[in-house]
Amino acid sequence: MTSTASSALGHPDPRPLLFHENWPGNVHPMIDDASHVPWAEGQYQFLQVQGAGVCEVPVGPIHAGIIEPGHFRFSVVGDTVLHLELRHFYTHKGTEKLFENTPVMDGVMIAESVSGDNCFSHAVAYCQAIESAFGISVPPRAQALRLIGLELERMIAHIADVGALCGDVGFSVPAAYTARIKETLLRASTRFFGTRFWRGMAVPGGVTRDFSSAEASEFARIVTAAAREFGEMARLILHTSSVQSRFESTGILTAEVTRQLGSWGRWRAPAESDLTFAAIILAGATATSTWMSRCTSMEMCSHARESESTRRPSQCA
Amino acid sequence: MSVTVPNSELGVSQALDLLRAANTRLVSIFGSADDNRELYVHYLIDVDGREYRMFRSRVTGPIPSATPITPSAAWYERELHDQYGIECARPS
């Protein structure tokens, strides 16, 4: 284990997290000057699981995709993962430090650069913090547009994750289909707002762009079609026996581990009143109200159920 | 979601006591420093999936680790040390 002061105090895992061996252990950037940090040497100690049949599988840090670098070291016996060591932050940019002395109106650009998948939600969270601190109210129409962007980002995350699940069990065709559905939504955002990930949209006090009722209806049509297509894809995936056997028998997260990881909680869909509010503000059109409610993942699931009740499983083999 | 922020020296022990309850979940631990380089640790805890509670405490030395109570604290505490030099020790 890397020697740090905290190891003497008995922390269960005193190894550095953000910084790698080239970073000196006595430089703490949020309280120290981090403009000229000397290069250090060291050796990271992975926890090694030993025993008959234990196989160590290293993955990354370079991946076949556009995700950021991360090293995963699995210690496995067959399908059972006995231990997983994660090393991330290869491209840690010192984002926290960048916020220091940045004018509040410029900080939103840093916030939305933290993560591409969560670009808009991070930007809105930053704006809400500024608005709360300065007592700024946001116009209803801007609130409605933010809600659409947040729901769209969440929907895209669900679609991409379902595709990733398929990729992980070797079901590559649906993985490609979900990538295509996701792409249609990103292109729709480009068409109406000039940005795939709603970059530059959120700003303290509101949003920077708006769209007309006609554009809202067309956007609604595209999103509704994507949600329906995804629902049918989800049904096909869940009815494929090879996928079922992997999804149902491997990677089981027990209640105890869930509790330890804190990976539980209550998910709250936007209330119908939130969506109706957004729809009324945007266009007052029934179509808008419909597509807004269809943006939710619950609605995507109901598409899958609808399809299930009208088709026989043999049709999706 | 409601957030309460008792700015108390007892923040750490209050947060750890709350984390021992079955209906709570650690959301985040993070540090901050004020203009005088005084250090603070913040605990954000979800109660019953309905209410977020926040505890803030001034840091003047090693603080007790929440990791033995909830393993999900480990990464936050390692980050506290990396970024702020705050030491988290196994509670005695």
Side-chain angles (χ1 to χ4, degrees), chain B residues 9-85:
Chain B
E9 296 289 326
L10 294 171
V12 175
S13 57
Q14 286 177 352
L16 265 53
D17 284 346
L18 188 62
L19 283 171
R20 288 191 181 93
N23 63 332
T24 60
R25 175 178 65 95
L26 177 66
V27 176
S28 185
I29 304 173
F30 52 93
S32 67
D34 66 17
D35 292 342
N36 300 318
R37 291 171 61 92
E38 299 283 1
L39 294 178
Y40 298 87
V41 61
H42 308 252
Y43 295 82
L44 191 58
I45 299 170
D46 177 357
V47 180
D48 280 333
R50 282 200 302 268
E51 179 191 9
Y52 278 13
R53 286 195 206 157
M54 192 145 138
F55 297 86
R56 174 178 186 249
S57 194
R58 207 177 132 209
V59 177
T60 53
I63 58 172
S65 169
T67 301
I69 302 167
T70 176
S72 61
W75 276 35
Y76 298 121
E77 292 180 342
R78 290 167 69 188
E79 186 185 5
L80 270 185
H81 183 259
D82 286 1
Q83 297 270 39
Y84 293 93

Side-chain angles (χ1 to χ4, degrees), chain A residues 66-131:
Chain A
I66 55 169
I67 62 172
E68 286 205 353
H71 180 69
F72 302 78
R73 191 167 293 196
F74 299 88
S75 297
V76 301
V77 175
D79 271 344
T80 305
V81 179
L82 299 177
H83 183 71
L84 167 61
E85 288 256 15
L86 294 176
R87 288 209 84 190
H88 285 161
F89 312 107
Y90 287 85
T91 55
H92 187 262
K93 298 180 281 289
T95 302
E96 304 86 349
K97 192 77 175 171
L98 289 174
F99 278 108
E100 289 182 357
N101 303 317
T102 297
V104 287
M105 295 302 280
D106 296 344
V108 66
M109 192 182 78
I110 303 175
E112 69 187 10
S113 303
V114 170
S115 157
D117 284 343
N118 316 101
C119 185
F120 191 61
S121 39
H122 284 174
V124 170
Y126 176 83
C127 291
Q128 287 175 335
I130 300 299
E131 287 150 9

Side-chain angles (χ1 to χ4, degrees), chain A residues 191-216:
Chain A
R191 180 173 157 197
F192 296 107
F193 299 109
T195 163
R196 286 165 68 81
F197 296 101
W198 289 54
R199 276 182 188 268
M201 283 286 285
V203 65
V207 289
T208 55
R209 272 161 259 176
D210 198 356
F211 59 178
S212 67
S213 288
E215 288 172 324

Side-chain angles (χ1 to χ4, degrees), chain A residues 2 21-22 40-44:
Chain A
T2 306
E21 300 81 74
N22 60 340
E41 301 284 340
Q43 184 73 40
Y44 189 82

Side-chain angles (χ1 to χ4, degrees), chain A residues 231 294 296-308:
Chain A
R294 287 186 181 183
T296 68
S297 54
M298 286 174 70
E299 194 63 26
M300 285 194 245
C301 294
S302 77
H303 280 307
R305 283 197 297 274
E306 274 172 34
S307 308
E308 190 173 356

Side-chain angles (χ1 to χ4, degrees), chain A residues 146-267:
Chain A
R146 281 184 182 181
L147 181 60
I148 290 172
L150 292 171
E151 281 301 284
L152 188 69
E153 191 168 84
R154 193 167 65 80
M155 182 178 169
I156 288 170
H158 280 302
I159 293 168
D161 279 353
V162 168
L165 286 167
C166 289
D168 286 345
V169 299
F171 199 29
S172 54
V173 172
Y177 266 74
T178 52
R180 183 179 56 73
I181 297 169
K182 173 183 171 181
E183 183 63 24
T184 60
L185 295 172
L186 297 176
R187 289 187 185 187
S189 289
T190 307
R191 180 173 157 197
F192 296 107
F193 299 109
T195 163
R196 286 165 68 81
F197 296 101
W198 289 54
R199 276 182 188 268
M201 283 286 285
V203 65
V207 289
T208 55
R209 272 161 259 176
D210 198 356
F211 59 178
S212 67
S213 288
E215 288 172 324
S217 296
E218 176 60 7
F219 194 42
R221 189 193 62 74
I222 295 168
V223 174
T224 304
R228 181 169 293 119
E229 196 176 0
F230 175 74
E232 290 175 7
M233 180 60 53
R235 182 190 60 83
L236 185 149
I237 292 163
L238 292 173
H239 278 288
T240 302
S241 59
S242 63
V243 173
Q244 284 172 345
S245 70
R246 298 302 290 166
F247 279 5
E248 291 174 12
S249 63
T250 54
I252 295 166
L253 193 63
T254 64
E256 177 58 18
V257 173
T258 303
R259 194 192 63 75
Q260 290 178 350
L261 297 177
S263 57
W264 55 274
R266 282 187 200 167
W267 174 77

